[in-house]
Amino acid sequence: MSRTPRSKFCGSPEHAVSRRSFLGAAAGAAALTTADMTVLDSLTQPAMADELKRQGKHVILLWLAGGASQLETWDPKPGRPTGGPYRAIPTSTPGVHISELMPKMAQRLQNTAIIRSLNTGNGSHGDAARIMHLGRRDEASIKYPDLGAVVARELGQADAKSPDYVAFYTATEGRGNAYGQAGFLGARYLPMFLTKGNTPENLSALEGLSDIDHKERAALRELLSSRFVQGRSGESLGSHNEAYARVRGLMSSETLFDVSQESDAMRDKYGRTLFGEQMLIARRLVEAGTPFVKVSRAWWDSHGQNFETHLELVSELDHVMACLLDDLDDRGLLQDTLVVTLSEFGRTPTINGSLGRDHFAKAWSASLSGCGVNGGSVYGETDEDGQTVKDGEIGAGDLFATIYEALGINHRKDYYVGSRPLPLTNPGTAPVKEVLA
């Protein structure tokens, strides 16, 4: 039986950030904020959580682009009309079962908490992906930072040589929904976006440019910049200079993206696939101090041949995720690294005529592993067919509050836009205490 072509979504513009485009974005932000006197002063707020930064916590987000099925991963319904062909298997936590497509993770559930009760209310790829990156919706006059930008802001080190926020999205399917938004935090917290390979573009100095030439050019830029700011004020000027300072640091981090520096045994362990190698780079970045890494795996949008698609993708996810958790644990990093699996939504319990599952945001699943998580726990419950949340319903904001809490970040913390306080998550949201250790 041939596979039904997977649908491709086109929408939002891409957000790829190479060294040059990163500089361009910084310059654009400077121009914009100079013109707009309502711009935020978040960069001047003494809100840097120094104590939290010292804790050295990190996040690796496994973004399952297109919408992974909760029934073929964390919330199987074997024997039900909605269950599909795959069995549920026991895990290392007595009484907890997950899909048989995840045998390796089933043996490692002691470090993972499953949330089976997400109801995020939006089944459109673009809007849903945005909500699950921001934890809420933008306002007409306010662009909120995404999860990675907030974590970079809260946990990043000003003098770090490694980037604060790295995002991989090398597939073409759904790339328009691969959000990376610093919002009111400014260009300093935009992700380094890798869309064409595992190494950032334009990170190396130009051939023929010596170290002395490079330093002299930097000195000239700083001289011109210092003259430009004389008699001028504005947070955008600081953001612009911070962006240049970050680029200089990023240029020294190129080797972090080179998996050839790992042993053959380690590369074989992760697997010599694009997803496996990007996950290995994520571990290298975290080990070097990067607070937030997002690795996107596409394309889970299985309107046709859902079970064939998930056999391939879930099997790969199971292997790579289990390997990552083992590696982090072996290096003593898992206790300070939160590994999250998340999509824009789940898939319908009802199986359509093409043996597919469609978009479904009413009752779906995510997982949190490692740092600050009550391993082996399951929060929330869906009904016997997975059509509705039966117990413990939460939304995107509650999930984000839980992630911040696991990292030691107060989700009620305010940033400021002028004099207006903006909490990290919307009022009324709360962390799921049962998921936290």
Side-chain angles (χ1 to χ4, degrees):
M1 182 179 296
S2 62
R3 177 178 298 185
T4 301
R6 301 171 192 167
S7 62
K8 299 181 179 181
F9 186 91
C10 299
S12 303
E14 297 176 7
H15 299 274
V17 177
S18 65
R19 181 164 65 95
R20 291 195 176 92
S21 60
F22 183 60
L23 292 174
L32 175 63
T33 52
T34 299
D36 183 2
M37 297 308 292
T38 65
V39 79
L40 314 176
D41 61 355
S42 58
L43 288 173
T44 63
Q45 295 298 321
M48 286 289 188
D50 293 336
E51 181 179 348
L52 295 176
K53 290 175 185 175
R54 286 194 294 271
Q55 294 179 2
K57 294 185 176 178
H58 318 271
V59 177
I60 298 177
L61 170 59
L62 283 62
W63 179 253
L64 310 180
S69 169
Q70 67 282 2
L71 294 105
E72 277 70 51
T73 52
W74 305 115
D75 192 12
K77 302 292 182 184
R80 299 298 304 173
T82 58
Y86 300 121
R87 297 179 300 122
I89 57 174
T91 68
S92 56
T93 300
V96 177
H97 292 68
I98 62 176
S99 170
E100 67 172 326
L101 298 180
M102 307 188 79
K104 295 178 180 177
M105 281 306 304
Q107 297 171 13
R108 294 164 174 80
L109 209 64
Q110 69 274 11
N111 292 318
T112 296
I114 299 171
I115 295 174
R116 289 175 169 167
S117 52
L118 279 167
N119 182 355
T120 49
N122 195 306
S124 168
H125 282 295
D127 290 344
R130 195 170 192 82
I131 290 171
M132 298 314 299
H133 278 82
L134 303 179
R136 55 187 161 190
R137 297 178 183 276
D138 283 323
E139 299 177 24
S141 60
I142 298 292
K143 296 292 185 185
Y144 286 101
D146 69 11
L147 177 64
V150 171
V151 172
R153 172 75 152 83
E154 294 296 325
L155 303 182
Q157 301 285 347
D159 57 350
K161 298 298 183 184
S162 59
D164 288 334
Y165 178 6
V166 176
F168 291 93
Y169 201 119
T170 43
T172 56
E173 296 156 311
R175 193 186 296 170
N177 301 320
Y179 290 108
Q181 177 170 303
F184 58 72
L185 292 181
R188 165 69 174 79
Y189 299 102
L190 280 170
M192 172 186 280
F193 230 121
L194 285 81
T195 58
K196 296 181 179 178
N198 290 346
T199 303
E201 294 182 90
N202 307 315
L203 198 62
S204 302
L206 295 174
E207 290 185 15
L209 186 67
S210 68
D211 288 343
I212 294 177
D213 291 338
H214 188 65
K215 290 177 181 176
E216 287 180 346
R217 289 187 181 192
L220 177 60
R221 195 207 67 79
E222 290 174 1
L223 174 64
L224 295 175
S225 178
S226 65
R227 290 180 178 176
F228 178 78
V229 300
Q230 289 178 0
R232 294 180 171 89
S233 62
E235 294 74 25
S236 57
L237 298 175
S239 178
H240 193 58
N241 286 328
E242 282 192 43
Y244 273 101
R246 289 296 298 154
V247 168
R248 287 199 298 272
L250 298 180
M251 292 178 69
S252 67
S253 66
E254 186 176 15
T255 57
L256 295 175
F257 297 87
D258 183 5
V259 293
S260 70
Q261 299 198 14
E262 293 286 336
S263 68
D264 284 341
M266 182 58 71
R267 296 182 66 182
D268 291 341
K269 185 177 179 182
Y270 274 85
R272 306 231 178 186
T273 63
L274 187 61
F275 188 43
E277 293 199 337
Q278 290 174 345
M279 205 63 75
L280 179 53
I281 294 171
R283 189 270 287 160
R284 289 173 58 82
L285 287 165
V286 162
E287 195 169 33
T290 297
F292 192 93
V293 184
K294 179 173 68 176
V295 179
S296 301
R297 179 66 170 96
W299 181 239
W300 295 74
D301 196 22
S302 52
H303 293 286
Q305 302 302 325
N306 171 79
F307 306 107
E308 183 179 321
T309 299
H310 278 69
L311 174 61
E312 173 191 344
L313 293 178
V314 179
S315 298
E316 182 188 39
L317 172 66
D318 181 55
H319 171 77
V320 174
M321 184 177 177
C323 183
L324 174 69
L325 296 184
D326 287 352
D327 194 13
L328 291 172
D329 200 18
D330 290 344
R331 293 167 186 272
L333 295 170
L334 187 57
Q335 62 183 356
D336 291 321
T337 304
L338 183 66
V339 178
V340 182
T341 65
L342 191 60
S343 299
E344 58 262 52
F345 41 60
R347 316 266 358 143
T348 51
T350 302
I351 302 167
N352 65 31
S354 299
L355 297 180
R357 297 189 191 273
D358 301 313
H359 304 174
F360 189 67
K362 291 173 57 180
W364 58 289
S365 302
S367 73
L368 307 177
S369 305
C371 168
V373 161
N374 184 17
S377 65
V378 176
Y379 179 79
E381 183 180 0
T382 54
D383 64 37
E384 60 184 357
D385 286 322
Q387 297 283 4
T388 59
V389 173
K390 183 179 176 181
D391 181 54
E393 180 175 301
I394 65 169
D398 303 305
L399 177 64
F400 274 50
T402 306
I403 291 172
Y404 291 140
E405 189 83 3
L407 297 170
I409 300 170
N410 180 5
H411 76 97
R412 295 190 177 91
K413 176 180 179 177
D414 288 329
Y415 290 140
Y416 286 85
V417 177
S419 59
R420 178 185 171 185
L422 293 172
L424 280 184
T425 60
N426 283 340
T429 56
V432 180
K433 295 295 185 182
E434 293 86 342
V435 170
L436 302 171

